[in-house]
Amino acid sequence: MAARPKGYGMSREIEDRMRAKYSIDEEAEVASWINARTGRQLSGQGQDAFRDFLLDGTVLCDLINSFNLPGISCKPNSTAGIKLQAMKNMKESENIEMFLKAAEKMGMKRLDMFQTVNIRDNSNMSQVLSTLFALGSVAQAKNVGGAMIGTKYAKKNEREFDEDTQRAGRNVIGLQMGTNQVASQRGMTGYGQGRQIIHKTD
């Protein structure tokens, strides 16, 4: 369940749209991937169940740690035995934030990542799924072994040209600059003049 009461008016409409974007198929793919890498099993199905699965941040930290990348680790705080809810919420948020920092250190862009509040308030779980798919792509680019999801990023294909080749390329006129080989304004009415319509009569 969400940590705050459901909104009204426009905020409720936005929340409903966010929920409509959530994909059960993507959730199943991500949950299967997490299970293959960490052994952690999602119980239930749907946005609320997935949110509860990730809420304390330990699953996310286990996922990052499963990549075994040097210098990148996530050591979650334990929330066991904490009776004060506010303290528990704070520790859970810290764990999620540690995951986000580790993902950024791996090379993920901040724009591709969810915010802690998206899980805490159950406000945009489709963004959480997108982040996890992007994380899979970054892990593949780092040559991490094992189960993977996401599209593998293309590698740079840098080319070096000698001075003669570069000089020859400067003499080629790109099509964006125009060409005199195809249709032109030649023989047409000049700019600003009235259109001449002539009817031929036999």
Side-chain angles (χ1 to χ4, degrees):
M1 296 296 289
R4 62 182 177 185
K6 289 187 180 293
Y8 299 95
M10 186 173 279
S11 60
R12 179 61 185 268
E13 195 176 315
I14 291 168
E15 186 182 337
D16 289 343
R17 282 184 189 169
M18 293 289 191
R19 280 187 168 266
K21 282 170 60 177
Y22 188 79
S23 168
I24 294 293
D25 293 337
E26 287 182 4
E27 174 202 284
E29 192 174 345
V30 169
S32 174
W33 178 54
I34 291 172
N35 179 247
R37 294 205 66 90
T38 68
R40 304 288 285 269
Q41 182 77 44
L42 170 65
S43 59
Q45 189 184 57
Q47 181 170 321
D48 295 331
F50 192 62
R51 179 252 184 186
D52 292 342
F53 180 54
L54 302 179
L55 182 60
D56 69 358
T58 57
V59 171
L60 294 170
C61 283
D62 286 352
L63 180 61
I64 281 275
N65 293 335
S66 76
F67 300 149
N68 292 321
L69 291 170
I72 296 169
S73 66
C74 181
K75 293 176 182 149
N77 300 302
S78 174
T79 57
I82 298 177
K83 292 178 182 172
L84 191 62
Q85 189 62 43
M87 183 67 77
K88 188 177 180 187
N89 291 349
M90 188 179 75
K91 294 289 184 191
E92 290 171 348
S93 295
E94 284 175 5
N95 291 344
I96 295 170
E97 197 57 41
M98 271 192 278
F99 162 80
L100 293 172
K101 283 179 182 169
E104 194 170 8
K105 204 171 177 184
M106 267 181 71
M108 278 194 71
K109 295 175 184 168
R110 206 62 167 141
L111 286 171
D112 293 336
M113 294 158 67
F114 64 82
Q115 296 178 350
T116 305
V117 72
N118 294 145
I119 294 179
R120 282 239 54 89
D121 292 347
N122 201 4
S123 58
N124 191 355
M125 291 302 293
S126 59
Q127 181 60 41
V128 176
L129 289 174
S130 296
T131 299
L132 293 172
F133 273 104
L135 180 67
S137 297
V138 171
Q140 287 182 67
K142 297 270 184 191
N143 297 318
V144 172
M148 275 299 151
I149 59 170
T151 309
K152 189 172 183 179
Y153 291 145
K155 292 184 179 176
K156 273 188 180 178
N157 186 11
E158 292 183 355
R159 298 167 191 202
E160 304 246 347
F161 296 105
D162 59 22
E163 188 60 35
D164 291 336
T165 308
Q166 289 182 32
R167 199 173 295 116
R170 290 186 201 115
N171 297 328
V172 177
I173 298 174
L175 287 177
Q176 292 92 340
M177 297 179 192
T179 176
N180 61 0
Q181 304 300 313
V182 290
S184 71
Q185 289 287 104
R186 188 174 176 180
M188 299 183 77
T189 309
Y191 181 77
Q193 292 182 350
R195 192 169 167 207
Q196 307 294 322
I197 301 174
I198 301 171
H199 294 286
K200 290 186 179 181
T201 57
D202 293 332

